[in-house]
Amino acid sequence: MADLNVERTTAVAPAEEDDYANWEIALWLIGILMIPGVPIAMVVLLTPWSGL
């Protein structure tokens, strides 16, 4: 029969918090979108035929 009064000898490590906050996710997405966006904006806005 199984022994019902068994204590664990090893403790389970608490889970580390790897969750990102919403603002951190938003910053990552903005940064990723700026990689192609900045050169495109520079060509559109800083070329002589852009009207500026």
Side-chain angles (χ1 to χ4, degrees), residues 8-28:
R8 278 192 151 165
T9 57
T10 58
V12 177
E16 296 181 17
E17 291 188 24
D18 287 338
D19 295 334
Y20 292 104
N22 288 336
W23 64 271
E24 290 175 311
I25 295 171
L27 285 179
W28 273 100

Side-chain angles (χ1 to χ4, degrees), residues 39-52:
I40 292 170
M42 289 175 68
V43 169
V44 169
L45 297 175
L46 300 177
T47 52
W49 58 85
S50 66
L52 293 177

Side-chain angles (χ1 to χ4, degrees), residues 3-11:
D3 192 2
L4 298 177
N5 294 326
V6 176
E7 291 186 20
R8 278 192 151 165
T9 57
T10 58

